Amino acid sequence: MPKIFARRLCSLPEAREGLTYGSPELEAVRAATRAGDRTAVAALIACAHDSDDRSDAVLVAAATVRAGHGTSVPQWLLEWVTSEPGDPIGWIVRGAVEVLRAETLPSALPSAEVMCARAAELDPADPTPWVWLVQLARGQRLGPAETARRWHRLRALAPQHLRGHEQLLASLSPRWGHPPEARIAFVTEAAATAPVGSALNLLVLRGHIEQWAELPGRARRRYLDRADVREQARAAVARWQHPHGVDPRAKISGHNLVAFWLSLCGEHQLARPHFEATRGHADRYPWSYLRTDFLRAYLRGRRRSGLV
């Protein structure tokens, strides 16, 4: 290995799951959630800069509860919605936790919908409950019509909501009753209206990764080798990295996605700067498509790029 690589290896951080990506605001949400400080959790979510940041904060709070309590619900969260039944933040955090619980406890699906719907009723201007309702529609197996209804409610409130787009994309699969071409049509349209610098441009990569994941054996390699697929992905990354882009959102998760895509395509040298930019934060999606231990998959890709 060239010496220039060796001089830079020692400074690489250890791999860990990307949840807060080191964001001070999201780290504060996680710390308050672990401490069971609902006043602090509510204040941190309430002061989020915009609907995307608010959605991220709710996700961190819900995922932190799930990581710390499994399928049980902590007393402080139960007391939040009973003692402050008119607080939409309490209901959306409780509802988001219930959606995550429903992943292993299908019996939680009805209560998850009720809680998220209550949050939406209490704060009609907040798109966050609709993000979770779009996600929940898959577990409920509600089909394309109801998923579309929920999506349109979300999009009317936040036309370029990043996580909302990601959740709908996850639903646009034959498994959930959608035609195969719906996925690429959706990401192409979303990217066409996304400003330069926006992580929405990277939905194109997500769409192609989902197409690839559903193919059998050798068809996967042939798909990745298609000139049109590679060009669409290249153009999407270029728009995301455009020097005039002004949206700093999702930079680390975006670099994760690009590093995965380039590794998948065998473009290991091109993947290297994206691995460096992740600063050791690895996303479960999409690395878990390569192996259940997604951190090992991430580290293997990073080593193949010339980094360890």
Side-chain angles (χ1 to χ4, degrees):
M1 182 180 294
K3 290 183 178 180
I4 187 172
F5 285 3
R7 286 198 298 270
R8 297 167 70 181
L9 296 183
C10 62
S11 64
L12 288 176
E14 294 183 5
R16 67 271 198 201
E17 182 171 6
L19 180 60
T20 68
Y21 304 106
S23 159
E25 294 83 4
L26 295 181
E27 284 289 348
V29 172
R30 179 155 65 177
T33 304
R34 284 174 172 169
D37 186 346
R38 76 172 190 247
T39 301
V41 173
L44 289 163
I45 292 174
C47 71
H49 294 102
D50 57 29
S51 61
D52 275 293
D53 289 340
R54 184 184 182 95
S55 184
D56 288 346
V58 170
L59 174 60
V60 167
T64 301
V65 168
R66 183 68 196 279
H69 297 271
T71 57
S72 64
V73 181
Q75 189 64 29
W76 66 267
L77 185 51
L78 294 171
E79 292 174 353
W80 189 350
V81 294
T82 56
S83 64
E84 300 180 62
D87 183 1
I89 297 179
W91 281 108
I92 189 51
V93 173
R94 181 71 181 86
V97 168
E98 203 71 359
V99 173
L100 297 183
R101 290 180 72 236
E103 292 175 358
T104 52
L105 290 175
S107 60
L109 288 168
S111 57
E113 180 179 6
V114 169
M115 293 170 186
C116 292
R118 181 60 176 154
E121 179 183 11
L122 290 169
D123 190 353
D126 184 12
T128 310
W130 293 102
V131 175
W132 289 94
L133 285 165
V134 169
Q135 178 175 343
L136 188 60
R138 295 195 296 276
Q140 294 176 296
R141 298 183 178 275
L142 296 179
E146 176 59 16
T147 300
R149 185 190 74 82
R150 296 181 181 190
W151 162 247
H152 290 312
R153 292 293 299 273
L154 164 59
R155 195 174 189 188
L157 294 170
Q160 294 187 331
H161 198 288
L162 178 58
R163 189 162 180 272
H165 278 77
E166 292 171 350
Q167 285 303 316
L168 183 65
L169 175 58
S171 303
L172 295 179
S173 165
R175 177 184 180 187
W176 306 113
H178 294 270
E181 62 274 12
R183 181 185 291 133
I184 298 301
F186 171 71
V187 300
T188 300
E189 178 185 357
T193 58
V196 294
S198 170
L200 281 176
N201 289 288
L202 296 183
L203 282 175
V204 172
L205 270 65
R206 283 179 173 263
H208 286 308
I209 288 168
E210 292 301 311
Q211 296 286 87
W212 163 86
E214 291 182 354
L215 293 171
R218 295 180 180 178
R220 287 185 166 191
R221 184 71 259 168
R222 291 195 295 271
Y223 186 81
L224 295 176
D225 287 339
R226 281 173 44 182
D228 61 325
V229 170
R230 296 244 182 167
E231 175 54 27
Q232 288 168 15
R234 185 207 62 76
V237 174
R239 279 185 59 80
W240 176 60
Q241 293 193 298
H242 196 284
H244 295 156
V246 295
D247 185 0
R249 194 183 322 281
K251 284 298 184 185
I252 293 179
S253 61
H255 284 295
N256 251 286
L257 192 65
V258 179
F260 177 88
W261 173 257
L262 293 172
S263 297
L264 202 62
C265 293
E267 300 283 359
H268 301 294
Q269 285 296 314
L270 293 178
R272 173 175 174 147
H274 297 285
F275 277 113
E276 290 181 303
T278 66
R279 303 200 297 271
H281 295 282
D283 286 334
R284 188 175 298 273
Y285 175 90
W287 292 105
S288 58
Y289 273 156
L290 298 182
R291 59 192 311 161
T292 303
D293 186 344
F294 71 98
L295 289 178
R296 289 187 65 185
Y298 165 87
L299 287 171
R300 183 173 183 268
R302 196 167 77 170
R303 285 193 300 269
R304 295 185 75 180
S305 77
L307 302 167
V308 293

